[in-house]
């Protein structure tokens, strides 16, 4: 396995400074966002699409520091009933660039449509009242699956895999919905970007998630949460308070090692379960902790993972007796 950095974690730094940080922390790779929900501080997507020189400069800065580019990220809502086409354009340009650069993976979310005729997305989280099931049927069968079949064909053409991040507020938000998409579209090109933090706050058991997804795990983000138990005990885990109001929220994204009482034990277990299903790719650090300085948070996360990551291929076998 390798450790990497999502450079948006330190978006206030220049690209060169972010790369230097990754190198100095002993990381192996970076993941760079290209637009949509990211301000894309480290990649000029139009330039990368149109200019071979820009691509060479971009990849050269990474290679000069002994790093690799593990993925490009285009998280957004390409199924939005109004702005979806613009966000889809970013997704497809990102896939095009990834194919041209030989980057194996584009990370993205499934997107979320509205109900029929809506101008805003609609996340259905309950099967009742009955119209909710009608909304879901429309979202899946008339919007999402036709879109994703076309997008998968586009990605195949460019030799790129799509790692879908299950996340609250998206049509694909848990294992079952992710597997539904994979089964419908094709497991050769669509798999999981496993970001455990989103699934944690919804109550999923992460080892069970890893076992269920197995070889469908294409890529991994290392991000943690912390349950604010007094608030969660009162209100449950559905949360609409702004991220900046950490003390008022039932849960928060936090720096690795600060989210679980057992500290590194959770991440050691996480890594071991990934190895058990055959994953030996990159674990990319993502910092979204509003209470911790980003460089400090990334540094602590790197040190936590470096204690538990399995780097070398396994080679022990029982003796033949």
């Amino acid at each position: 396995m390798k450790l990497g950095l999502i450079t948006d974690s330190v978006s206030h730094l220049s690209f060169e400074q972010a790369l230097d940080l990754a190198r100095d922390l002993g990381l192996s790779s970076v993941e760079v966002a290209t637009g949509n929900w990211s301000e894309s501080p480290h990649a000029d997507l139009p330039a990368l699409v149109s200019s071979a020189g820009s691509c060479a400069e971009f990849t050269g800065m990474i290679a000069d520091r002994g790093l690799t580019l593990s993925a490009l990220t285009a998280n957004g809502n390409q199924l939005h009933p109004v702005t979806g086409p613009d966000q889809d354009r970013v997704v497809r340009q990102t896939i095009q660039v990834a194919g041209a650069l030989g980057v194996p993976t584009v990370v993205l979310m499934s997107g979320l449509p509205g109900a029929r005729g809506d101008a805003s997305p609609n996340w259905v989280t309950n099967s009742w009242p009955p119209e909710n099931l009608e909304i879901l049927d429309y979202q899946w069968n008339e919007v999402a699956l036709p879109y994703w079949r076309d997008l998968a064909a586009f990605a195949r053409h460019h030799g790129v895999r799509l790692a879908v991040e299950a996340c609250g507020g998206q049509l694909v938000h848990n294992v079952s919905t992710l597997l539904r998409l994979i089964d419908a579209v094709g497991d050769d090109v669509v798999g999981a970007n496993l970001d455990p933090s989103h699934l944690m706050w919804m109550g999923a058991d992460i080892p069970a998630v890893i076992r269920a997804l197995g070889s469908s795990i294409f890529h991994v983000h290392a991000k943690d949460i912390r349950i604010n138990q007094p608030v969660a005990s009162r209100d449950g885990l559905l949360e609409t308070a702004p991220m900046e109001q950490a003390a008022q929220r039932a849960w928060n994204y936090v720096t690795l090692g600060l989210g679980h009482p057992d500290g590194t034990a959770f991440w050691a277990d996480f890594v071991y379960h990934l190895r058990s299903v055959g994953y030996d790719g990159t674990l990319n650090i993502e910092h979204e902790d509003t209470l911790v300085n980003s460089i400090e948070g990334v540094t602590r996360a790197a040190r936590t993972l470096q204690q538990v990551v399995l780097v070398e291929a396994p080679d022990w076998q029982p003796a033949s007796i």
Side-chain angles (χ1 to χ4, degrees), residues 220-236:
V220 173
H221 284 175
K223 190 170 69 172
D224 208 347
I225 70 157
R226 184 181 182 90
I227 302 296
N228 186 359
Q229 201 59 59
V231 178
S233 297
R234 181 191 68 202
D235 292 339

Side-chain angles (χ1 to χ4, degrees), residues 52-320:
S54 295
C55 288
E57 180 182 8
F58 178 72
T59 55
M61 286 191 290
I62 298 170
D64 286 348
R65 292 162 173 84
L67 302 169
T68 60
L69 181 60
S70 61
L72 296 176
T73 302
N75 279 343
N77 186 3
Q78 62 272 25
L79 301 183
H80 192 290
V82 177
T83 63
D86 291 334
Q87 299 189 61
D88 173 62
R89 190 175 304 110
V90 171
V91 168
R92 290 176 189 266
Q93 288 180 343
T94 302
I95 292 170
Q96 180 183 343
V97 169
L101 297 180
V103 177
T105 304
V106 168
V107 175
L108 71 170
M109 293 187 185
S110 66
L112 179 67
R116 191 185 304 274
D118 278 359
S120 298
N122 187 331
W123 187 35
V124 175
T125 59
N126 197 312
S127 61
W128 188 89
E131 58 263 30
N132 283 357
L133 295 180
E134 297 174 6
I135 293 170
L136 282 173
D137 181 74
Y138 165 77
Q139 290 178 326
W140 275 100
N141 295 314
E142 297 190 42
V143 182
L145 292 183
Y147 170 85
W148 271 93
R149 290 187 178 110
D150 182 72
L151 186 69
F154 184 82
R156 284 190 190 97
H157 175 74
H158 288 279
V160 173
R161 300 191 307 176
L162 304 177
V164 179
E165 185 171 330
C167 181
Q170 297 291 293
L171 194 60
V172 169
H173 58 272
N174 59 17
V175 169
S176 294
T177 50
L178 180 53
L179 291 177
R180 178 177 181 178
L181 180 66
I182 292 170
D183 290 343
V185 174
D187 60 6
D188 62 314
V189 69
V190 175
N193 175 57
L194 177 58
D195 182 330
S197 65
H198 306 309
L199 301 165
M200 289 176 197
W201 73 255
M202 288 184 276
D205 175 73
I206 299 306
V209 168
I210 293 171
R211 290 192 298 270
L213 291 174
S215 61
S216 292
I217 300 173
F218 287 179
H219 194 65
V220 173
H221 284 175
K223 190 170 69 172
D224 208 347
I225 70 157
R226 184 181 182 90
I227 302 296
N228 186 359
Q229 201 59 59
V231 178
S233 297
R234 181 191 68 202
D235 292 339
L237 292 173
L238 291 177
E239 183 56 82
T240 59
M243 292 288 186
E244 297 82 1
Q245 297 178 10
Q248 283 74 52
R249 288 176 53 84
W251 60 269
N252 295 283
Y253 296 125
V254 298
T255 299
L256 263 65
L258 301 182
H260 293 79
D262 53 10
T264 59
F266 171 86
W267 293 101
D269 194 50
F270 182 72
V271 165
Y272 207 79
H273 276 91
L274 286 173
R275 173 63 66 86
S276 76
V277 298
Y279 183 81
D280 270 319
T282 299
L283 281 68
N284 280 345
I285 295 165
E286 184 173 19
H287 178 86
E288 292 185 344
D289 189 331
T290 62
L291 298 181
V292 177
N293 173 272
S294 57
I295 293 178
E296 180 182 5
V298 167
T299 300
R300 290 177 65 107
R303 290 172 178 165
T304 296
L305 290 174
Q306 284 162 344
Q307 295 179 63
V308 299
V309 70
L310 299 172
V311 177
E312 303 296 334
D315 60 359
W316 185 85
Q317 295 181 353
S320 298

